[in-house]
Amino acid sequence: MKKRIAIFASGSGSNAQKIMEHFKRNAEAEVVLILTNNPQAYVLQRADNFEIPAHIFTRYEFYETDDVIRLLKNLQVDLIVLAGFLWLVPESLLHAFPNKIINLHPALLPKYGGAGMYGDHVHNAVLAAKEDESGITIHFVSDKYDEGEIIHQSRFKIDPDDNLEVIKFKGQQLEHQHFPRVIESLLKKMKS
Ligand code: GAR
């Protein structure tokens, strides 16, 4: 039986799009649900384009009820992928899906992670520190922002005149290139 993926995203969802494309005709796995906390998120349009169901949830539902867990269990989800999802995952969800939740981060963790470190905030911090490289990290999710075990990192060089837009683009290229492939190889290693 194909492995079943659920994707959480809060915004544009360009990574969700790449994952949906990758698994659209794939023998190993399929994307069965998109979840978001943001009713305006463009990822909802992308889900619709792929005819993949979507679920919008509130802060109350996510942190004070088991509704999201029940939904994921009912759909027999094997892997939860956070692709630009900005809320901390509650303990109850971590316990319901141990070692089955992964996140994408736009920097080389453990540097430039933690609360408030997302999107442009990360890239701006990297630029301010005059780093000569940055990259992406795919890691298991734990109860602290950006601290779970690292599964994959790729890096790119920062040239002296690179600005925010340039390093964002370089990072996004790596994300789109590697995230679906890393998910597929992780699923192959997972027993059930
Ligand atoms: C991605 O760059 C991802 O690394 C980042 O949000 C972006 C989502 O883009 N995630 C974080 O910053 C998490 N701390 P997308 O909506 O186009 O996929």
Side-chain angles (χ1 to χ4, degrees), residues 11-16 83-84 86 103-106 117-119 146 172 175:
S12 162
S14 72
N15 282 283
L86 303 182
N103 180 47
L104 170 66
H105 187 77
M117 281 304 227
Y118 58 89
D146 306 323
Q172 197 180 52
E175 293 183 338

Side-chain angles (χ1 to χ4, degrees), residues 9-17 43 46 82-86 103-107 112 114 116-120 122-123 136-137 139 145-146 168 171-172 175-176:
S10 300
S12 162
S14 72
N15 282 283
Q17 163 106 20
V43 72
R46 299 189 197 263
L82 310 186
F85 179 66
L86 303 182
N103 180 47
L104 170 66
H105 187 77
Y112 307 106
M117 281 304 227
Y118 58 89
D120 289 358
V122 177
H123 301 305
I136 64 165
T137 303
H139 64 96
Y145 275 114
D146 306 323
K168 226 161 108 169
Q172 197 180 52
E175 293 183 338
H176 292 173

Side-chain angles (χ1 to χ4, degrees), residues 7 20 25 32 39 43 53 59 107 127 133 144 154 161 187:
I7 304 174
M20 289 188 286
R25 286 182 202 84
V32 295
V43 72
R59 185 171 282 278
L127 280 175
E133 65 167 10
K144 298 199 182 60
S154 332
D161 54 354
L187 283 168

Side-chain angles (χ1 to χ4, degrees), residues 118-175:
Y118 58 89
D120 289 358
H121 299 290
V122 177
H123 301 305
N124 280 326
V126 169
L127 280 175
K130 304 204 181 309
E131 297 280 1
D132 58 12
E133 65 167 10
S134 188
I136 64 165
T137 303
I138 298 164
H139 64 96
F140 286 106
V141 172
S142 71
D143 58 352
K144 298 199 182 60
Y145 275 114
D146 306 323
E147 286 194 13
E149 184 195 337
I150 292 173
I151 301 163
H152 171 90
Q153 290 189 308
S154 332
R155 43 193 82 224
F156 62 83
K157 198 175 165 320
I158 300 177
D159 295 319
D161 54 354
D162 282 358
N163 60 18
L164 174 65
E165 291 311 315
V166 173
I167 68 165
K168 226 161 108 169
F169 179 75
K170 288 180 175 177
Q172 197 180 52
Q173 296 284 98
L174 287 184
E175 293 183 338

